[in-house]
Amino acid sequence: MWRGELLPGQPFEWQIKEDTSKKSSSPASPDERSWITIVKFDLPKLGQINAMIQLKGKTASFRIAAKNPDSGPIMINSQSLLSESLEASGTQISQFLVEKDGTSS
């Protein structure tokens, strides 16, 4: 886990690990390997955000929890920009879930 500041005065936590929940006896190819990254930060406009991003081969899934109820719609409306950027690098979004207090959008 790395802890620091995203911007001055704004704490940021970042963890990245290989997802070994589906163990196999043979080594996984690069397209079969799965990585999970967890980020936590607090921004003035979005508030506190906790996100888990799973990368597997050329797909990415996002599970985002926002404390500020106004943050969910902002992130959902920006999903197409993220999708376009990822597609330019050959990665597709398989899931984009934004949650607030146990509910999802």
Side-chain angles (χ1 to χ4, degrees):
M1 166 139 3
W2 181 86
R3 288 188 177 129
E5 290 186 325
L6 184 61
L7 298 169
Q10 296 179 329
F12 179 77
E13 291 183 16
W14 182 23
Q15 178 181 4
I16 186 166
K17 61 184 177 179
E18 187 169 9
D19 181 7
T20 57
S21 61
K22 296 179 182 175
K23 293 187 178 190
S24 122
S25 58
S26 61
S29 73
D31 286 341
E32 295 171 333
R33 291 176 74 184
S34 180
W35 295 90
I36 295 174
T37 188
I38 298 168
V39 293
K40 297 177 182 181
F41 50 90
D42 195 339
L43 297 174
K45 188 173 182 180
L46 295 175
Q48 185 176 341
I49 303 294
N50 298 329
M52 183 178 78
I53 305 158
Q54 182 174 23
L55 300 172
K56 184 173 183 177
K58 300 270 185 193
T59 62
S61 67
F62 295 81
R63 186 176 186 127
I64 304 165
K67 278 201 169 183
N68 180 345
D70 297 330
S71 298
I74 292 170
M75 289 185 282
I76 290 169
N77 290 335
S78 299
Q79 178 186 350
S80 62
L81 294 172
L82 176 62
S83 184
E84 288 172 14
S85 296
L86 289 174
E87 286 175 7
S89 71
T91 302
Q92 301 288 318
I93 294 178
S94 61
Q95 179 184 40
F96 191 86
L97 181 64
V98 178
E99 298 178 321
K100 166 61 179 119
D101 293 335
T103 60
S104 59
S105 303

